[in-house]
Amino acid sequence: MDDHARACPPEEEESIARLSWYLTSPFLGDQVAQLRSIFAWMAANISYDHASLVPGQRKDQSPESVLRNKVAVCAGFANLYDNIARYANLGVRQASGLARGAGYEIGADKVGGEHAWNVVNINGEELFIDSTWGAGHSDENGVYHQVMDPWWFLLSPKRMIYTHFPDNPREQFLDPPISKDAFRRLPCRRGHSWIMGIRPMIGTNVMEANDDYFEVQIRVKKEGAKKTFLAGKLVWEGSPEMLPAACHWTRDNGKYFVMTMKGFCPGPGSGRLLVLALPLVDANDGSGGCGGGESKNPLTYKIVNNGSGANFQPLVAEYPVPGFSTSVLEPLTAQVQRGVRQKVRVQVYNVAHDARPALVLMKDMDYRNSETMREVEPGVFEVEKVLVAGEYSIGQRLGMQYQFVGRFSAV
């Protein structure tokens, strides 16, 4: 379907009727395939028209104009999709409302920007299609990337409501529909939350820090946890850099692991906590399983701090290792006091059948004087000692080499 749509010859685009026949006729009797063919063609051929966002500069958003110019804003995308589908009698309609797109701020009075999308009934179920967001996205620098995102094809109402709030409550297709205030409070959840099995545990998107310190719990499907390295980044108002947040294993909850995001706020005010998931590659390909591909941001929270930032501390640096997942439970901070007894504690989970955790603590990367960490309870490795000043590394022994798990210093 996608290949057929992308191979559409220019002469088949001379009219909406002719384009509709080209895209849908090979799949007669298969409503989903016909709808997908239209979705794929639009993603490959219609770009978002940022110039039309300037007051007085908006182009005609009629389907004929969008087909001719190959650029549109959301109204034009929804219009053209609806018209192509109408010639094939696919039962597509249009919907409009607010959406958590570019410029959306968690916790703000404005819950989203004006947007348009499509709805279709398939076998008695109302499903959503957003061909605008399915055609591409703008990055943090405002650069548009035209890459098809299939997530926005045939979304269920329970998933769509996290990002789209229709003007007509009945077009939520939820029983009962939620209010605008409830929509405002919903966790900021993106498609990779479902795809990677990373889910919120609280029904709000704003958390308050206590004396500069915050915690946010999430759930991660065990199968998804085997394929991702979880981390957190705090983007603080007025700060030029992203600050790391810890992601600690908290407990086993059946099909899920409960994880706790932890960190310190650098000052009063607010910031965004980004839950990041880095896809891991197969350790058999020689890369060590330590990350492959672009990190995803399935969940985002707003952190509000009434403290001064005086308690801010940088956190232990953590790294992925092949064969299993780890959380450095102690110490939490990147600097600990020298000359006092310090417990170093690591939780190991998601252990592959052929992996053998063998953790050690090293000072100043001196492998010859590494100290073995004992498994004091299932999955928990620990060593306790008085630390002298220096840099310390937690490592996984791999033959004659070591893979870093975490790093901190005693000062």
Side-chain angles (χ1 to χ4, degrees):
M1 294 166 284
D2 293 358
D3 289 343
H4 172 76
R6 296 185 185 114
C8 181
E11 60 269 20
E12 299 294 345
E13 301 172 358
E14 291 180 357
S15 70
I16 294 175
R18 186 169 177 178
L19 176 61
S20 177
W21 176 254
Y22 172 85
L23 293 174
T24 63
S25 60
F27 314 109
L28 293 177
D30 188 338
Q31 184 187 15
V32 171
Q34 292 176 306
L35 293 167
R36 175 63 180 230
S37 182
I38 301 171
F39 184 85
W41 179 87
M42 291 194 63
N45 291 276
I46 309 299
S47 298
Y48 194 83
D49 186 15
H50 288 87
S52 282
L53 298 179
V54 178
Q57 299 298 314
R58 175 164 293 195
K59 297 183 179 68
D60 181 5
Q61 299 298 308
S62 68
E64 294 79 12
S65 177
V66 172
L67 177 60
R68 180 172 59 255
N69 296 319
K70 297 299 195 323
V71 293
V73 294
C74 58
F77 274 92
N79 283 337
L80 182 56
Y81 194 99
D82 179 29
N83 274 258
I84 297 173
R86 187 177 302 172
Y87 276 97
N89 296 313
L90 296 178
V92 170
R93 297 109 63 201
Q94 293 190 48
S96 61
L98 302 174
R100 292 173 164 181
Y104 164 69
E105 293 184 19
I106 299 173
D109 290 337
K110 185 179 179 181
V111 300
E114 293 183 358
H115 194 53
W117 57 93
N118 297 103
V119 188
V120 64
N121 187 292
I122 297 180
N123 297 324
E125 182 181 10
E126 302 290 348
L127 299 172
F128 297 96
I129 299 169
D130 190 331
S131 59
T132 310
W133 290 8
H137 67 278
S138 296
D139 61 23
E140 294 180 352
N141 299 316
V143 178
Y144 183 71
H145 300 271
Q146 188 159 352
V147 181
M148 188 175 84
D149 186 352
W151 175 255
W152 301 107
F153 178 69
L154 300 184
L155 265 184
S156 69
K158 289 184 178 180
R159 295 184 175 185
M160 192 72 163
I161 195 59
Y162 279 88
T163 49
H164 294 62
F165 187 77
D167 291 330
N168 184 348
R170 289 179 295 179
E171 291 181 341
Q172 295 178 23
F173 303 108
L174 298 175
D175 187 16
I178 69 170
S179 66
K180 184 179 288 188
D181 283 340
F183 177 72
R184 179 183 289 107
R185 294 191 299 268
L186 281 177
C188 185
R189 192 175 182 188
R190 296 299 183 184
H192 282 93
S193 171
W194 286 274
I195 294 169
M196 305 177 89
I198 302 169
R199 302 186 176 186
M201 287 192 67
I202 54 174
T204 184
N205 52 35
V206 180
M207 300 293 294
E208 291 191 5
N210 182 16
D211 291 331
D212 305 325
Y213 175 75
F214 65 84
E215 290 188 357
V216 178
Q217 287 195 339
I218 62 174
R219 290 192 306 166
V220 183
K221 271 192 174 180
K222 291 180 178 178
E223 284 302 311
K226 292 178 181 179
K227 303 173 184 177
T228 56
F229 175 68
L230 290 175
K233 293 291 183 182
L234 184 64
V235 183
W236 201 254
E237 288 181 355
S239 176
E241 60 179 336
M242 290 200 298
L243 305 169
C247 183
H248 282 179
W249 184 95
T250 304
R251 64 180 182 274
D252 190 316
N253 189 25
K255 295 181 180 180
Y256 295 87
F257 291 123
V258 175
M259 311 292 291
T260 304
M261 313 297 296
K262 303 177 181 180
F264 293 92
C265 303
S270 64
R272 291 179 296 128
L273 172 63
L274 312 179
V275 178
L276 302 177
L278 176 66
L280 297 178
V281 294
D282 189 342
N284 294 325
D285 72 358
S287 64
C290 298
E294 179 185 358
S295 64
K296 308 300 181 184
N297 174 210
L299 298 172
T300 303
Y301 293 90
K302 182 177 182 178
I303 306 296
V304 178
N305 184 34
N306 294 319
S308 65
N311 296 313
F312 172 79
Q313 298 182 67
L315 305 181
V316 168
E318 297 190 54
Y319 309 94
V321 295
F324 52 87
S325 302
T326 61
S327 287
V328 180
L329 303 179
E330 296 183 60
L332 173 63
T333 58
Q335 294 184 343
V336 298
Q337 185 177 348
R338 69 186 182 192
V340 299
R341 199 159 189 84
Q342 174 68 50
K343 183 180 291 185
V344 180
R345 189 174 173 89
V346 178
Q347 174 74 50
V348 173
Y349 59 103
N350 264 344
V351 181
H353 71 279
D354 57 347
R356 298 292 181 269
L359 302 185
V360 298
L361 179 66
M362 301 172 284
K363 179 180 179 294
D364 298 329
M365 297 181 64
D366 186 353
Y367 306 127
R368 297 167 298 178
N369 297 316
S370 60
E371 186 165 350
T372 300
M373 299 180 65
R374 297 181 299 110
E375 189 171 10
V376 296
E377 58 184 86
V380 178
F381 291 77
E382 184 179 296
V383 64
E384 188 172 355
K385 62 182 297 184
V386 176
L387 301 180
V388 299
E391 301 292 326
Y392 288 85
S393 301
I394 305 166
Q396 159 70 358
R397 187 183 293 117
L398 298 172
M400 298 299 293
Q401 297 180 326
Y402 292 86
Q403 178 84 44
F404 290 121
V405 173
R407 284 180 172 177
F408 64 96
S409 60
V411 295

